[in-house]
Structures are given as C-alpha cells and as structure tokens.
Amino acid sequence: MYKRQDQYLLIGRILLVLLFLQSGITKSIRFQEGLGEVRAKKIPFAHLALLGTIVLQLAGSALLIAGWFTTPVAALMALFTLATAVVFYDFWSVKGEARAAALNGFFEHISIIGGFLILMAAGPGRFVL
C-alpha cells in the first residue's frame, strides 16, 4: 500500500523540475538567444556552457521525475541552481527596479535549492520507474 507521502514526493519531483524542463527545451529551440545570454555574462566557453546547461536541465529533470539517482542528481541541480543565482541574478551590482527584479530572481533560485535539499533528505518515495 502506498502512503500519501509517496504521492506527494512524486508530484513534488515533477513540479520541482518543471522550470528546468521548460528552460532546457526553450534553450534547445532558441539556442542562439541562450548563447547571447551566456555571452552577455562573459561565461567562458559559452557554447559548451550552454550545451552543458541544456543537458543538465533535460537529463537531470528526467532522472528526478523517474526517481533515479535522486540524491546525486538533486545535489548537482542544487549546485547548478546556486551558480545560476549568483551569475544571472547579481542584485548587488544593479540599482532601482533592476535590483528588485534580480533580488527576487535570486531568492526564487535559493528557494528551489531548498526543494532539492528536501528531496535529497526524503528520497524519491516508492513511485519510481
């Protein structure tokens, strides 16, 4: 008999990665736009960085939805999310409305990291492929 907790963990895994699935798909379709964003932040090896991002977002999301390698994948996604927050939401270097938007984006990413940490602690539950 499955516990309600297992259902919550499955739904939570799916909801947690929707942002990453959408982003990975969008970056794949609009690769040049994504490349422009990466280059604007002066990230070295922009092309490779974007490809790695797409692979991580799509593969990591698929693995978490499936419930496979939950702890290491969630840890990797949390580190990626932290790096993204620091690089793309650098609220400390902007002023005015741009600062407020960057600060909000930064803390949204920090909150997502909290979700990954909870998933790491709880595990995938019983609903795995």
Side-chain angles (χ1 to χ4, degrees):
M1 186 76 175
Y2 292 109
K3 296 179 184 175
R4 191 164 303 247
Q5 176 181 344
D6 295 314
Q7 296 166 348
Y8 293 152
L9 285 167
L10 173 62
I11 294 166
R13 291 193 329 253
I14 293 167
L15 294 176
L16 184 59
V17 301
L18 282 179
L19 172 71
F20 297 93
L21 275 175
Q22 177 273 330
S23 181
I25 292 167
T26 300
K27 283 176 176 59
S28 297
I29 294 168
R30 298 180 174 158
F31 191 85
Q32 291 303 317
E33 289 177 29
L35 195 56
E37 291 176 11
V38 173
R39 287 182 175 149
K41 290 296 183 176
K42 298 180 178 22
I43 296 173
F45 308 104
H47 195 272
L48 188 59
L50 182 57
L51 284 174
T53 295
I54 292 167
V55 169
L56 178 62
Q57 289 179 326
L58 296 178
S61 295
L63 287 168
L64 289 179
I65 289 171
W68 296 352
F69 309 105
T70 304
T71 298
V73 173
L76 185 60
M77 297 287 279
L79 289 172
F80 169 79
T81 304
L82 178 60
T84 302
V86 170
V87 172
F88 285 91
Y89 297 97
D90 52 343
F91 63 90
W92 52 88
S93 66
V94 292
K95 298 203 183 311
E97 288 182 29
R99 184 180 193 282
L103 185 63
N104 189 56
F106 180 85
F107 280 108
E108 286 174 353
H109 278 64
I110 298 304
S111 296
I112 292 167
I113 293 168
F116 285 126
L117 292 174
I118 292 168
L119 183 57
M120 291 167 63
R126 291 181 56 183
F127 293 125
V128 296
L129 296 180

